Amino acid sequence: MTLPILIERDGHRTWLKWHRGRRRAADPVFTGERIIEAMRLGASVEVDLVIHADQGCAVLHDLTLERETTGTARVRDTSAAALRQLHLRDNQGKPIEATVMLLEDLCALLASQTVHPDALLQLDFKEDRQALTPQIVSGFGTSVLPIAGSVILSGGDFDAIATLAASAPGLRTGYDPCHRGALAELQASLNYLGFIEDALATAPDAGMIYLAYEIVLAAADAGVDIIAPIHAAGRRVDAWTINSVTPHSIEQVARLLQLKVDQITTDDPEGLAEVFSQ
């Protein structure tokens, strides 16, 4: 079986990022088992971070607990101890054995493992700079520092990313400019190159720029290559998110590969790897 890690086309390597820790579309999100598997194989894997009541971060995407866990409150109002007692839910909403992890739990788990030198854990911070406190920043650095060489921190507020990253020397950073109305503005202006220039200027230290794949393809349809200026600046491009493997998504991925994106975020890296290994 082809490992669900990357696709090589025309001398260019495109990584397949395990979105929310999924190897397959049927997988539940954020389980330690899958995250460890990805890191041992040398994959790129992404998890999300939101702030909890004890001034730390939980490995969850939503600001509320109902969809992803057996809890029923805001993450911000829930203690660390209470979060650890909650079970994750599968794609049908059924509780599973795996429980919610905090950032320090995940980092300690990975620090106890032998990870592949190519493995990359993306921590996607879902909140903004105003949400940060000195305690959150300090706790983040303490947790991440032992594994910082295998981690990239990303988000839509680069001030928040830079603040957190400063607490863990050696930590790589990435920036996602496709938030806070940016997509609607871009669809109206069609100023693709200006959008990329602004992103590069906003996040001068970001090694990875995360772009909604629809933007990459729409720009190409308009005759604009938005990958080239990112590569010219010495950065890499992640195109997000291919949710499932269908004839239409296969066509989209083929175009992204032709455009030489460096990484594709997907909920089914195994399915894509199988298709493009043929």
Side-chain angles (χ1 to χ4, degrees):
M1 177 186 292
T2 301
L3 290 178
I5 295 175
L6 57 86
I7 300 170
E8 296 210 41
R9 283 290 184 278
D10 301 322
H12 184 77
R13 177 172 290 181
T14 299
W15 293 87
L16 297 174
K17 187 179 75 188
W18 298 22
H19 184 225
R20 301 186 191 175
R22 284 183 169 131
R23 175 174 176 149
R24 307 182 185 97
D27 286 339
V29 299
F30 305 139
T31 64
E33 177 184 6
R34 278 293 192 235
I35 296 167
I36 290 172
E37 180 182 6
M39 298 297 282
R40 286 176 173 170
L41 288 176
S44 176
V45 58
E46 175 251 8
V47 302
D48 300 305
L49 299 179
V50 294
I51 295 170
H52 60 66
D54 290 328
Q55 300 294 289
C57 292
V59 180
L60 292 169
H61 175 275
D62 296 351
L63 299 180
T64 56
L65 294 167
E66 287 81 358
R67 185 172 69 96
E68 295 174 308
T69 82
T70 51
T72 58
R74 294 198 313 165
V75 181
R76 182 69 63 90
D77 298 330
T78 308
S79 70
L83 285 167
R84 287 187 172 115
Q85 298 301 311
L86 299 177
H87 288 262
L88 297 170
R89 295 184 183 275
D90 65 16
N91 297 332
Q92 288 71 48
K94 181 181 177 181
I96 62 174
E97 183 177 351
T99 53
V100 173
M101 287 188 290
L102 306 186
L103 174 61
E104 57 265 37
D105 303 331
L106 175 59
C107 292
L109 180 64
L110 292 178
S112 71
Q113 305 294 316
T114 300
V115 302
H116 193 286
D118 293 333
L120 185 63
L121 174 67
Q122 178 191 344
L123 302 175
D124 196 37
F125 186 62
K126 309 309 287 188
E127 307 204 37
D128 57 23
R129 176 65 181 84
Q130 288 70 31
L132 295 177
T133 65
Q135 184 177 345
I136 292 170
V137 174
S138 175
F140 177 90
T142 299
S143 296
V144 172
L145 188 57
I147 61 168
S150 299
V151 177
I152 183 169
L153 174 65
S154 66
D157 183 336
F158 199 71
D159 287 341
I161 300 311
T163 299
L164 287 169
S167 70
L171 183 66
R172 286 168 277 186
T173 59
Y175 175 53
D176 185 346
C178 304
H179 294 286
R180 297 172 175 82
L183 288 180
E185 293 175 8
L186 182 58
Q187 289 168 347
S189 71
L190 302 181
N191 183 15
Y192 297 108
L193 291 180
F195 177 75
I196 297 303
E197 289 172 2
D198 288 345
L200 295 174
T202 297
D205 299 323
M208 184 83 77
I209 303 298
Y210 299 87
L211 300 175
Y213 78 86
E214 296 92 342
I215 290 178
V216 178
L217 298 182
D221 289 339
V224 180
D225 182 355
I226 61 174
I227 306 301
I230 299 175
H231 284 168
R235 324 285 189 92
R236 302 173 69 227
V237 180
D238 176 299
W240 57 266
T241 300
I242 301 296
N243 299 114
S244 59
V245 178
T246 66
H248 183 53
S249 68
I250 291 170
E251 178 183 346
Q252 292 171 322
V253 169
R255 293 184 63 199
L256 293 171
L257 295 174
Q258 186 177 30
L259 292 167
K260 299 189 183 306
V261 301
D262 302 289
Q263 186 164 271
I264 294 173
T265 298
T266 176
D267 288 306
D268 194 358
E270 184 171 277
L272 284 182
E274 289 177 357
V275 168
F276 285 94
S277 67
Q278 300 172 6

